[in-house]
């Protein structure tokens, strides 16, 4: 397994208070579901790993489950303050320790630039 995937898995498990190997267990308890969701979302949204099947392989799930987890992330961020707090902790740690960005706000800037680049209208001559 890639070293950055391992580091992220360790960060997620530490923040959610579970063992690293428990991210992959077949359990529907909230803390395990939230840990898998946060792990998948970080990998996908931060362009660390953009393949649903590969993310699923890391947590012993299929690609459809990974897609569902990534989609559920936005709902969790709005409806679950505990998940939001834990995810923000994970994001700060991953940004600093794995992605080696000193300033957390850089990630927001990169996302804003990416969104603006996608929204530029096509100009025809």
């Amino acid at each position: 397994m890639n070293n950055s995937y391992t580091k992220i898995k360790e960060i997620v498990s530490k923040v959610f208070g579970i063992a690293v190997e428990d991210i992959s267990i077949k359990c529907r308890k909230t803390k395990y579901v939230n840990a898998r969701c946060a792990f998948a979302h970080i990998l996908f949204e931060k362009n660390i790993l953009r393949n649903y099947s590969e993310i699923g392989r890391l947590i012993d799930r299929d690609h459809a489950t990974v897609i569902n987890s990534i989609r559920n992330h936005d709902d969790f961020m709005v409806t679950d303050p505990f998940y939001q707090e834990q995810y923000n902790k994970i994001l700060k740690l991953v940004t600093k320790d794995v992605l080696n960005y000193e300033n957390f706000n850089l990630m927001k800037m990169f996302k804003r630039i990416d969104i603006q680049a996608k929204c530029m209208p096509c100009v025809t001559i």
Side-chain angles (χ1 to χ4, degrees):
M1 187 186 313
N2 185 318
N3 192 30
S4 62
Y5 308 153
T6 306
K7 278 185 174 180
I8 294 170
K9 225 178 200 186
E10 289 170 358
I11 291 169
V12 170
S13 64
K14 182 179 177 183
V15 169
F16 278 102
I18 61 175
V20 175
E21 58 273 2
D22 287 349
I23 290 177
S24 302
I25 66 170
K26 306 285 183 193
C27 182
R28 290 183 172 176
K29 286 187 177 180
T30 303
K31 65 181 176 180
Y32 302 111
V33 171
N34 287 349
R36 287 190 293 267
C37 179
F39 179 71
H41 189 267
I42 290 282
L43 289 178
F44 190 78
E45 288 298 318
K46 299 307 171 203
N47 292 321
I48 298 166
L49 183 60
R50 298 288 290 186
N51 184 311
Y52 296 125
S53 295
E54 286 298 311
I55 294 171
R57 188 181 58 75
L58 295 173
I59 56 174
D60 293 332
R61 299 294 187 279
D62 65 5
H63 72 284
T65 305
V66 172
I67 293 169
N68 190 50
S69 289
I70 291 169
R71 287 182 181 160
N72 285 337
H73 167 80
D74 292 334
D75 292 337
F76 292 160
M77 289 296 283
V78 172
T79 61
D80 187 351
F82 178 74
Y83 177 83
Q84 182 182 20
E85 180 184 331
Q86 301 305 84
Y87 182 80
N88 287 333
K89 285 180 189 176
I90 293 165
L91 189 57
K92 286 179 183 177
L93 290 169
V94 167
T95 302
K96 183 179 155 221
D97 297 342
V98 178
L99 301 177
N100 298 319
Y101 292 119
E102 291 298 321
N103 187 351
F104 178 67
N105 291 327
L106 284 175
M107 292 305 292
K108 291 180 183 177
M109 182 182 76
F110 289 140
K111 189 158 187 129
R112 214 174 20 251
I113 290 169
D114 186 41
I115 290 169
Q116 289 173 352
K118 289 179 185 176
C119 296
M120 295 298 291
C122 297
V123 178
T124 57
I125 298 176

